[in-house]
Amino acid sequence: MATNRTFTMIKPDAVAKNAIGGILKMINDAGFRIVAMKYTKLSTEQAGAFYEVHKERPFYGELVEYMTSGPIVAAILEKDNAVEDFRTLIGATNPAEAAEGTIRKIYATDISANAVHGSDSDENAEIEGNFHFAADEKH
Ligand code: UDP
Ligand code: MG
């Protein structure tokens, strides 16, 4: 099960640009099924915990501030090879380096405000999905 799922967030910059619909269409058109989804706003505690792995990085403080600056959409997605295929769909962390046709190339502002999150491993997909959703919220 876990190997067929990934976790995503549509980040505050993309929500502010009114890009939720466009991004969800790209996700659906790429063959991902939405297993769980919510429109929410992260607290400083939640964003800090979610990005705990980056705690020692110089951008951590700014990242937490940015991720709490406005509402987000959190979702669990299902597809064969979900983690890898979704990372391909979103493109490189820095939109200046993202391939043509990727979500970040189309919608991201810069390396920080880069429109979407995508889990980097099956293990993290499960941890991140469970961070945002209870078992009975996944369908
Ligand atoms: N980030 C940033 N500056 C950097 C690198 C990353 O602000 O130099 C932010 C950016 O929002 C990125 C997130 O931190 O999406 C997590 O970084 P990671 O290296 O895990 O990139 P991702 O997996 O999101 O592509
Ligand atoms: Mg990452």
Side-chain angles (χ1 to χ4, degrees), residues 39-112:
Y39 182 77
T40 185
K41 190 166 183 290
L42 299 180
S43 67
T44 300
E45 291 68 29
Q46 283 176 307
F50 186 87
Y51 283 110
E52 183 120 45
V53 54
H54 295 305
K55 205 169 186 154
E56 305 308 324
R57 309 273 290 274
F59 58 82
Y60 178 73
E62 261 180 55
L63 176 59
V64 170
E65 200 174 312
Y66 156 65
M67 286 301 295
T68 57
S69 66
I72 62 151
V73 174
I76 297 173
L77 307 174
E78 194 167 77
K79 181 188 180 298
D80 287 348
N81 204 34
V83 166
E84 195 187 339
D85 286 1
F86 193 69
R87 294 292 302 203
T88 301
L89 178 66
I90 68 178
T93 307
N94 184 350
E97 292 163 11
E100 289 299 329
T102 60
I103 292 175
R104 281 168 166 168
K105 182 71 174 185
I106 294 167
Y107 290 109
T109 305
D110 56 39
I111 192 170
S112 172

